[in-house]
Amino acid sequence: MSSQSISVRALYATLLLVLVGVTACAPSTAAPTPAPAVPAAVETDRAEVLERHLTSDAIFRHIAHLASDEMRGRDTPSPELEEAARYIADHFRASGIGPAGDGDDDYFQRWDFERLEVDRTRTRLSGDGPGVAGDWRYGTDFFAIPSPPTPVSGPPFFLGTPERLSAGLPSEAGGRLLMAYLPEGLGPEFGMVIQAAMQVGSPGVLLLLDPDTDGAEIFQIAAALEGGAAGQLPIPVFGLAWEAWSPLLESVGVVPDDPEFEPRLLEDLSFSMESAFAPRSDEVSNVVGIVRGSDPALAGTYIVLTAHFDHVGVGPPDATGDSIFNGADDNASGTAALMQIGAALAALPTAPRRSIVLLAVSGEEKGLLGSAYYAEHPTVPGEDIIANINLDMIGRNHPDTLHAIGEEFTTIGALAHRVAREHPELGLVLAPDPAPEEQAFLRSDHFSFVEKGIPALFFTTWLHDDYHLPSDTPDLIDQDKTARVARLVFHLTLEIANSDGEPRWTEE
């Protein structure tokens, strides 16, 4: 979900497509049976619940707390992440939302966040050229994909850009550090470079990053790689910031994207690189509440509402000196809406016919890990989960626009459009995926349920210039819009919960 040339989520999406593939789901065009007509008295009760629980003030109070500097970006793992989990659980309890965690009276589902922790004293990258040298910092100037601790040094064989791989790598690249420039960032091409290097026996790969990739993004990529976003590779693979490598190429007169450049050994340059990672495991928490259904025939079926409450923690300071990535929109906004939607559902005089699970997940920023764990280890019968609605970044951009990612894939999409039309007071237009090439359908927590064959819809107000930066702060949230999005999801959830039929996949 990044408009920049490299993004952590784009990295996940590339790896999902290249290494894992997309799970196929059996298509069906059957739509859920419409819910019975709602009596006027019930509509009055619903309006009172909305006015009490789904207000901009109620939702913003949670955003302001979760995205405060004291929460230090809610990294997975961190003490602040656990504090956020307790805050959400306390709200569930106070709102009358039942526990649905590991135990009968537990709101927490605990899972092991396993990662490869970098040894910063042994992870290094330096370079020398005619009259210029560099000794760079991990997590700011460069990142490293975990690999065995094998030092690599010497002059690089420079490929140029990945498109030159169409002619194959010459044999003289074997035994040499392979260097390539990625003008488009970490798209599928970076995987092709690594595969080509291993095929010819290169001992390592140095990826030269594009000018738009700053220290904040390298910090996030490094953290994601430690979290397992790319697993462990057999050879060292480093990514180096443009400001670090460009003076070295200039010193030998090489233009990195020169179409006339012929791949060759750059004998006047020398690089030295080594990385070291050690396994580490930390227990972290998802927070799970439930509003149990009232219909004896349907209460054993479940709709899961999701939002991730983690962000990316503390990183390199920006131009103002701010180093806390507050994550107000990403995703304190979705979490706060989830909390208040749960409170509104629990406050209804008559509970919905189906049961509704309120699932706040951690580890999304590390690769959808918390939602993947829940989908694999659900605290309600997994075969009885009929739908997932996911909220991720719902508080910014045009006041009347909400994107329904994946609307064409399930009958939930058409139902959401109908609900929006039936509630013009919300002033929301549901718009399709604005940039399918960004593969947003693969890049938030709904996808963990999609992989299990569960119909899902992802609501977002999309990217902005403060995405994954310290400037994503509460003061920039559109409080009124966030409340209107929450009300739409409340109405949609009730529509599904009170219907006789279940959401289905469409032919798309």
Side-chain angles (χ1 to χ4, degrees), residues 191-216:
M192 295 165 52
V193 172
I194 295 170
Q195 290 174 353
M198 291 191 292
Q199 287 171 358
V200 300
S202 294
V205 176
L206 181 58
L207 304 172
L208 307 182
L209 305 177
D210 63 294
D212 293 332
T213 305
D214 59 13

Side-chain angles (χ1 to χ4, degrees), residues 252-321:
V252 293
V254 172
V255 177
D257 53 358
D258 180 1
E260 303 299 323
F261 177 81
E262 291 295 329
R264 64 178 183 270
L265 186 68
L266 301 183
E267 296 181 340
D268 292 331
L269 295 183
S270 180
F271 290 90
S272 178
M273 63 192 215
E274 180 182 9
S275 63
F277 293 83
R280 176 170 175 173
S281 179
D282 291 273
E283 187 179 76
V284 295
S285 299
N286 294 330
V287 188
V288 197
I290 190 167
V291 176
R292 298 208 175 268
S294 59
D295 187 327
L298 296 178
T301 59
Y302 304 87
I303 303 161
V304 179
L305 306 186
T306 49
H308 75 89
F309 66 95
D310 67 313
H311 195 50
V312 300
V314 179
D318 63 11
T320 70

Side-chain angles (χ1 to χ4, degrees), residues 96-98 289-293 341-343 345-347 351-352 354-358:
I97 300 167
I290 190 167
V291 176
R292 298 208 175 268
I341 291 168
L345 292 167
R354 301 180 190 274
S355 297
I356 300 166
V357 174
L358 290 308

